[in-house]
Amino acid sequence: MAASETGSAAWSGPRPGGGSTISVVVAISIVVADMVGVGVFTSLGFQVKDIPSGFSILLLWTVGGIVALCGVFAYSELGAMFPRSSGEYNFLGRAFHPAFGFVAGWVSATVGFAAPVALAAMAFGEYGKSVFPDAPPLALAVGVVWLVSLVQLTGVRHSSTFQLIATILKVLLIVAFLVAGFLMATPQPLSFAPSASDFSHIVSAPFAISLVFVMYSFSGWNAATYIIGEVHDPERNVPRAMLAGTLIVLVLYVALNAVFLHSAPIDKLAGQLDVARVSGSYIFGEFGGRIVGAMICFGLISSISAMMWIGPRVMMTMGEDIPVLRAFARRSTGGAPAWAILFQLTVANLMLFTRSFEAVLEFIQFALLFCSFFTVLGVIKLRITHPDLPRPYRAWGYPVTPLVFLLVTGFMMYYLLTEPLRVFLGVLIMLSGLLIYAVFRKRADQGPVAASAGSE
């Protein structure tokens, strides 16, 4: 694709209010980039230890994608009803109470995106050894976050082009790896056809627990809801972006796991963290690890870019509602919320230098699941309490699809209860947000989306 063609595809021109809009293609690229990180390249080794079946493994990842799609349908209904950037901050404030929305926004704006950015950046630093063997991983991690942030600060137009090119490159590299794996690798004696023993694997506890980690790999399917205000014709294009992006990732994930199992012996994969490197060594020989490392390294650039784009939009929207945070709502001439981007950049850098991001990620998982659970529950609540509200998009498969998502997400939260310290600290983070909301509410008798909530 030529540069001029990329620019026209990415950029939809000025928004009538003075802001900027992006095309559905860029919105799809943000969803794909936010979802495909390192999870799919590291999870299989722990899954095959207890589920040594090709069919069951592929079904596991298919089920994860279907559950993500159930979430997409619910979020799409809310996104079309309330087309405003910031994801759960907007949806929970509308469906339940502005305080609930603020708590979700507080988690997202402070650590919810900064911690995954830091983790992806450090992974970039580690895999970057394949490309720059003498460079310190921390220097590479900090460098890529700054590079991506500078692109974001230039404005929505340049960010759109950069995001689209980076995501297309990521997908092309994965597709090239898939083709090489199926054509060049020596096939392993493993069948992907269902057998009688598969039923026992599918109904086992390891299958259910593995689904928890598969769902973490699928997280990011809701990325487009954080930038609704920048998407052209959001009532139509945000649902399209989330649906198309999730389907693309579902196909890539199933195909990648099929290639891993097709190319490498299952006993060599079992228990390994870097299954992609193991598979690459069987496909490409001794240089396989470097090739796979470079592929993941380049792919992480688009992931970091997506999170550095959508994360600051939460703080930006909160700044539009809360006078104390008003500075974060200011946009540059290019449409970028500069102060919000710099804030997330600062937090991510602090986490990188203190190595605190791994602990933060563990502690916020329950809070993030809690917010997404109640967001989908909000679809059901609004159907009951406000049946006459305009719904440009209605969740496909309602009420079954929201209930499927709630069931799986509820199980994930129950699983996290086995580690009460993580849950306790996650709840503390949410309670701190509630306390801060109470302080802000005292200062100004207007909370997030209070006006619109009151009108309903």
Side-chain angles (χ1 to χ4, degrees), residues 29-54:
S29 75
I30 290 172
V31 174
V32 172
D34 194 31
M35 292 177 74
V36 183
V38 295
V40 69
F41 299 105
T42 57
S43 302
L44 180 65
F46 303 99
Q47 294 162 3
V48 294
K49 286 175 66 177
D50 299 308
I51 312 173
S53 160

Side-chain angles (χ1 to χ4, degrees), residues 344-424:
Q344 182 165 298
L345 172 63
T346 302
V347 177
N349 273 271
L350 286 172
M351 290 183 176
L352 282 171
F353 284 112
T354 59
R355 300 287 299 189
S356 63
F357 57 88
E358 292 171 330
V360 172
L361 273 174
E362 291 178 355
F363 298 148
I364 65 172
Q365 289 296 348
F366 184 84
L368 296 176
L369 288 172
F370 185 85
C371 292
S372 62
F373 179 92
F374 277 93
T375 298
V376 173
L377 187 63
V379 174
I380 299 175
K381 176 185 178 295
L382 289 173
R383 286 280 189 111
I384 296 170
T385 59
H386 293 82
D388 298 327
L389 279 178
R391 289 174 171 81
Y393 174 90
R394 300 178 73 87
W396 184 88
Y398 180 91
V400 174
T401 50
L403 290 175
V404 167
F405 183 87
L406 292 173
L407 180 66
V408 174
T409 306
F411 171 75
M412 293 171 71
M413 289 193 290
Y414 172 77
Y415 173 78
L416 286 177
L417 288 175
T418 59
E419 300 180 63
L421 178 61
R422 290 188 185 183
V423 175
F424 175 71

Side-chain angles (χ1 to χ4, degrees), residues 12-85:
S12 296
R15 181 184 287 279
S20 307
T21 62
I22 60 173
S23 69
V24 67
V25 178
V26 174
I28 292 171
S29 75
I30 290 172
V31 174
V32 172
D34 194 31
M35 292 177 74
V36 183
V38 295
V40 69
F41 299 105
T42 57
S43 302
L44 180 65
F46 303 99
Q47 294 162 3
V48 294
K49 286 175 66 177
D50 299 308
I51 312 173
S53 160
F55 173 80
S56 298
I57 290 293
L58 298 191
L59 180 65
L60 173 68
W61 286 88
T62 303
V63 170
I66 291 172
V67 175
L69 286 171
C70 291
V72 164
F73 298 137
Y75 270 61
S76 293
E77 177 168 319
L78 292 175
M81 290 173 69
F82 311 120
R84 192 185 187 206
S85 297

